[in-house]
Every structure is written in structure tokens, then in C-alpha cells.
Amino acid sequence: MINGPDSSFLVSSRANGYESSGKEPSRSDEDPLNDSLIKKLDHGVKDFLWLGSSWTCKKKRKHYQSLYHNGVKILVNDLVYVLGEEYKRLVAYLDDMYEDSRGNNMVVVRWFHKVDEVDTNLPHNYNDREIFFSLCLQDLNV
């Protein structure tokens, strides 16, 4: 789980078809994970792994484009669910992922807001299931 203040990261239903069940997605031949590594990860040897090469910024953070967590490959720019207070699912956009100078595995999420959280006049024909993109970013611990 990825934990933030009062929230936990949850494997998501993603736009590219991964399920929230945590089942391993199908991978193409170009995927850097091989079957033996996946089997080791799935058997609890390790449930988190950075994927691909990293780059270091001025803040001495090692940034990555993807990670493997609890059986699912997660990429920067994915839409994810974050489990909040009282197990409420919140929708977030994965903006960045990095390892900080202390070795903490982190992700940066951009929040979405539900209709009842938006303080603006909406047209009378809005759908109560709509969500709105926010400018709020938050760093969450993996």
C-alpha cells in the first residue's frame, strides 16, 4: 500500500484496462519484467519494484517512469484510486514517482474532486458522477 496522510494507495482501474482486483495484467514482449521475476514477486519475495532507469533531480530524488506493486505495473500518468478515510475511494492522477534522499518510495498524485466538493455554480443538467480535475498535488509514501 502507498500511504499518505490519512490515505493509502490502492491498485486502480486504469484507462489501459488493468483491473482493481490486483490480478497481473497481460504484458507485451517489450515489458522489462520477465516471468521468473514476476513469479518471485507474486510469491511474496518482494511486493515493490521500481521499473526502468531513473534520473536524479536537484532535490536528489531518483525519479522513475513505472513501478511494480502488489502484482500490478503502475505508470506515471495513470489514473488510480487512493483509499482515504473510512475506506473511501478517491480518484487521483499519478503525476510523478520517486525515491527520496532517505530511501522512501514516493508518488505524487493530482486530485480530482466530486460534484459536492466543488464550490461553483454548475449547470442544472450535470451528472452527479462527474469528477473535476484539481490543481492540488500531494506526495504519498509507497
Side-chain angles (χ1 to χ4, degrees), residues 9-21:
F9 190 75
L10 181 69
V11 174
S12 67
S13 290
R14 296 179 9 181
N16 64 0
Y18 292 174
E19 297 292 328
S20 61
S21 65

Side-chain angles (χ1 to χ4, degrees), residues 6 15 27 29 47 78 87 91 98 102 107 113 118 122 126:
D6 303 324
R27 296 178 306 276
D29 293 335
D47 66 350
D78 278 347
Y87 300 100
V91 179
Y98 64 91
R102 293 185 210 140
V107 294
H113 296 289
V118 178
L122 297 170
Y126 74 87

Side-chain angles (χ1 to χ4, degrees), residues 60-128:
K60 300 193 184 205
R61 296 176 173 172
K62 290 173 69 174
H63 296 264
Y64 295 87
Q65 287 296 309
S66 60
L67 62 86
Y68 179 86
H69 183 63
N70 290 337
V72 177
K73 182 178 177 181
I74 302 170
L75 307 168
V76 169
N77 303 324
D78 278 347
L79 295 173
V80 296
Y81 284 122
V82 176
L83 195 58
E85 294 175 3
E86 299 176 11
Y87 300 100
K88 183 177 178 182
R89 285 185 179 190
L90 306 170
V91 179
Y93 172 84
L94 193 57
D95 204 64
D96 190 16
M97 51 182 68
Y98 64 91
E99 182 179 308
D100 68 14
S101 59
R102 293 185 210 140
N104 297 315
N105 299 324
M106 307 290 289
V107 294
V108 179
V109 296
R110 183 176 302 274
W111 295 108
F112 286 85
H113 296 289
K114 295 180 180 174
V115 171
D116 59 348
E117 300 169 339
V118 178
D119 187 29
T120 187
N121 292 330
L122 297 170
H124 62 279
N125 62 347
Y126 74 87
N127 184 328
D128 63 348

